[in-house]
Amino acid sequence: MNLVEKIKQLKKEKNAVILAHYYQETEIQDIADYVGDSLGLSQKAAETDADMIVFAGVHFMAETAKILSPNKKVVLPDVNAGCSLADSCPPDEFKKFIEAHPDHTVITYVNCSAEIKAMTDIVCTSSNALKIVNSIAKDKPIIFAPDKNLGNYIIKESGREMLLWDGSCIVHEAFSIEKLLELHKEHPDSTIIAHPESEAHILQTATYIGSTAGMINYVKQYPEKKFIVATEAGILHKMAQEVPGTILIPAPAEADNTCACSECHFMKMNTLQKLYDCMLNESPQIEISKEIQERALVPITRMLELSV
Ligand code: 13P
Ligand code: SF4
């Protein structure tokens, strides 16, 4: 049996579900039961009746699944698959920050640790951040963390002042504005679409700004167009499957690298072999203390209730 067949067999034996983010390696996306953005993946994790959730994504995503389904086994192919954005917000420092602003409502982007979520009033993802911010009473001051780029974008869209945490994603900050404008000159008939974790000068060039799922839905509406796509390059696989024939060009990164795009090395730590191993060994498993799990569940549930 090859690896794909062995994974399918284990899935049946262990009543497992494989959830994968759009940034995963193509062979992982192709074997997954569901491929989606952060919001879609947490909704699936909340509603699944599987005994084991195999989370092909990064640590904070698997943690969110465990918070939502504490009685299920949640395994992550590579336990070191972290996130620069989540790492930019250490719980001790964040605690001091929110204690210094006790009148503020705390909104955190899902790309943060369970400890940070446990200090939060409401969680958001890139697909519902504007809606979540707009749901807060106008006279309430807001702390938004950890992504300053998404935060600045939401400030612009909502017209709300917010106190931002100084965090960012290394993958979305790697895009080069000079190379992007040059590429657009070479393809004047192309439309730029971007993820809101990108910097403001990249977002200014974009016709559409949205989450990974939002970007795929946008491209589906205009299959005859040509797109320059400013997010992690793994998304191009699902996009091309959904809209075959559309010309998709990855936005160029600052540094010269093999893919001439921007890749998340954390996401790419997961491989098909590690996926098989984690299912077989039921390890590495995500463990969260009961106290943190219960506190972090509250702001995630609030988000899901506002996202139906
Ligand atoms: P979304 O899946 O919400 O679009 O976020 C992208 C991302 O960076 C995930 O880490
Ligand atoms: Fe984190 Fe950026 Fe990788 Fe997403 S793409 S997991 S935000 S480092």
Side-chain angles (χ1 to χ4, degrees), residues 88-107:
S88 68
C89 196
D92 290 353
E93 286 175 38
F94 191 62
K95 187 166 181 282
K96 284 184 207 144
F97 183 63
I98 58 173
E99 279 172 359
H101 306 283
D103 56 334
H104 283 54
T105 297
V106 180
I107 303 180

Side-chain angles (χ1 to χ4, degrees), residues 21 23 57-58 60-61 82-86 109 111 147 168-172 195 197 231-232 263-267:
H21 191 268
Y23 298 164
V58 291
F60 77 81
M61 294 179 173
C83 168
S84 70
L85 193 43
Y109 187 35
N111 300 37
D147 189 11
S168 60
C169 160
I170 41 167
V171 178
H172 289 86
H195 194 281
E197 286 175 21
T231 192
E232 210 271 354
E263 284 195 328
C264 177
H265 71 275
F266 297 113
M267 285 278 181

